[in-house]
Amino acid sequence: MIKITMFSAADSVKGQGVSSVYLELVRLLKTRESDQIALKINKYGRSDISHYHTVNFPFYLSTFMPGRGRKVGFVHFLPETLEGSLKLPKIAKAVFYRYVIAFYKRMDQLVVVNPSFIPKLEAYGISRDKVTYIPNFVSAEMFHPADEESKRALRKQYQYPDKFTILGSGQVQVRKGVFDFIELAKRHPEMQFIWTGGFSFGRITDGYEKLKQVVDNPPANLSFPGIIDRDKLVAYYNMADLFLLPSYNELFPMSVLEAFSTHTPVLLRDLDLYHAIIKGDYAAAKDVDEMDRIISDLSSDPKALLSLQEKAKQAADYYSEERLAKIWLQFYTEQARRG
């Protein structure tokens, strides 16, 4: 039996992907690997493996305590991926960025959800041998597809018009491309746009003032229902004809996997970082004008939309929790052996 302690404060802030990744992994280990893994949360007893999900300072101090076993750090972000997310004073930003890298360097092993970030960690002086790539996943039981009749029923239940619906999801911030999402809603009054998520970090969110104005007074065809409890998010994916994430920077967004799992076609900004993990599974657009053209084409071409839906299904199969359960167990077994 491998003794693992998870250290995380991710679920203290609602509506962020780090929390979703953490909760999915905890659920996976408790339901699928409970006969081989003894799991504790935020307890400072002896452990074979200490797995750190967030970079809270008390967690950093705990790495100097005896009995931590093999220290594993989950790289949910790098300094450059925070640009456009939080508005911090320059000095505070510089100190925090240095601290994040110092935290990662305290680990015996790091886990990244996107292999494209391995060379970026190397640039910070972290050996490639200390980094393992394990992709994200979501529960197929929680995020499941719905048929057309159920889709229409959900729209009626949530009081949305029965017309071509585009969903975006994530924190409301500049980095997520929310301004482009708003612009597309203005260009397509004949469609319904919905963005689930909110200002998880309040006023320090980058672009807060301008974004808050639109969130409070959106165009008639644009809805901001706020931060939705994770067990209710599936309804929004199943209402949608298309999932759109116009983000400028990501690691491996959980929202995309949630869309795949509900067999919702996906449109993303064409970022190099997606190529290593989901290339070919989504429609790609370089800017808002290309997104505009693709949305117009898909809304009028059922065959093209169905083809994109098939790609979502295939991606959901590849990133299944059954496959990832085996990968995580193999990883933890190896770490325990090395520890």
Side-chain angles (χ1 to χ4, degrees):
M1 184 76 75
I2 305 172
K3 296 178 181 179
I4 300 175
T5 303
M6 296 286 190
F7 290 97
S8 174
D11 49 352
S12 64
V13 180
K14 282 191 171 185
Q16 57 163 337
V18 175
S19 175
S20 298
V21 174
Y22 162 68
L23 293 173
E24 284 283 6
L25 181 56
V26 169
R27 181 196 55 77
L28 179 81
L29 298 179
K30 285 183 175 181
T31 57
R32 289 181 176 267
E33 306 298 348
S34 59
D35 60 331
Q36 300 190 63
I37 290 175
L39 191 64
K40 292 183 179 180
I41 309 294
N42 294 338
K43 302 292 185 183
Y44 290 104
R46 288 189 172 274
S47 192
D48 297 319
I49 297 170
S50 294
H51 191 163
Y52 295 88
H53 283 262
T54 56
V55 297
N56 302 65
F57 191 59
F59 296 162
Y60 178 73
L61 294 179
S62 78
T63 66
F64 296 93
M65 296 168 57
R68 295 275 53 80
R70 186 84 170 163
K71 297 184 290 293
V72 173
F74 216 141
V75 181
H76 291 290
F77 57 85
L78 292 172
E80 53 265 42
T81 65
L82 292 174
E83 293 297 326
S85 297
L86 303 177
K87 184 172 57 178
L88 298 173
K90 286 186 178 180
I91 294 177
K93 184 187 292 186
V95 170
F96 179 63
Y97 286 3
R98 290 188 67 181
Y99 166 73
V100 167
I101 299 304
F103 193 104
Y104 292 158
K105 287 183 176 180
R106 279 293 301 160
M107 300 295 108
D108 297 308
Q109 194 75 21
L110 294 171
V111 174
V112 295
V113 297
N114 191 317
S116 69
F117 283 79
I118 295 176
K120 294 183 180 182
L121 285 166
E122 282 188 294
Y124 285 109
I126 296 171
S127 170
R128 178 179 288 261
D129 294 338
K130 290 181 62 175
V131 186
T132 301
Y133 160 59
I134 302 178
N136 286 336
F137 64 94
V138 298
S139 167
E141 183 177 347
M142 181 179 290
F143 292 94
H144 51 80
D147 57 29
E148 286 301 316
E149 185 178 346
S150 299
K151 185 191 294 283
R152 287 192 291 271
L154 283 169
R155 289 175 180 173
K156 184 176 181 180
Q157 177 185 340
Y158 284 84
Q159 299 182 324
Y160 287 112
D162 189 20
K163 55 185 181 180
F164 194 85
T165 301
I166 297 174
L167 175 70
S169 187
Q171 295 181 56
V172 178
Q173 55 186 215
V174 173
R175 178 178 66 85
K176 289 289 184 179
V178 179
F179 282 121
D180 281 350
F181 195 83
I182 295 166
E183 172 60 24
L184 289 165
K186 292 177 179 178
R187 294 187 188 187
H188 291 278
E190 77 283 5
M191 300 179 187
Q192 177 65 51
F193 288 74
I194 306 170
W195 186 282
T196 58
F199 299 101
S200 296
F201 294 96
R203 291 183 174 274
I204 66 170
T205 300
D206 192 26
Y208 175 81
E209 296 297 338
K210 289 184 178 180
L211 286 167
K212 188 71 164 61
Q213 290 177 10
V214 182
V215 169
D216 290 343
N217 299 282
N221 66 324
L222 173 57
S223 171
F224 287 97
I227 297 173
I228 306 298
D229 289 341
R230 198 146 190 274
D231 59 347
K232 297 177 182 177
L233 262 176
V234 63
Y236 287 86
Y237 287 102
N238 282 327
M239 277 188 276
D241 295 293
L242 179 68
F243 177 77
L244 166 61
L245 184 65
S247 226
Y248 290 95
N249 208 336
E250 292 287 348
L251 285 179
F252 196 151
M254 290 292 282
S255 59
V256 172
L257 289 180
E258 290 161 359
F260 286 157
S261 191
T262 56
H263 301 173
T264 305
V266 173
L267 169 60
L268 305 173
R269 191 181 300 276
D270 191 16
L271 305 178
D272 290 343
L273 60 91
Y274 290 136
H275 297 174
I277 49 176
I278 52 174
K279 187 175 182 179
D281 297 328
Y282 61 96
K286 66 178 184 298
D287 56 28
V288 69
D289 291 329
E290 193 166 0
M291 290 175 197
D292 188 349
R293 290 194 295 274
I294 291 173
I295 287 170
S296 297
D297 291 343
L298 290 174
S299 65
S300 60
D301 188 345
K303 287 185 177 180
L305 195 64
L306 184 60
S307 175
L308 202 56
Q309 184 181 54
E310 287 298 321
K311 292 179 179 180
K313 290 180 184 179
Q314 293 169 15
D317 291 340
Y318 184 76
Y319 291 108
S320 69
E321 58 182 325
E322 181 179 1
R323 175 173 167 265
L324 268 299
K326 295 175 183 177
I327 291 174
W328 274 109
L329 179 60
Q330 182 180 14
F331 171 77
Y332 283 134
T333 301
E334 172 63 15
Q335 294 306 307
R337 185 190 66 79
R338 294 174 67 180

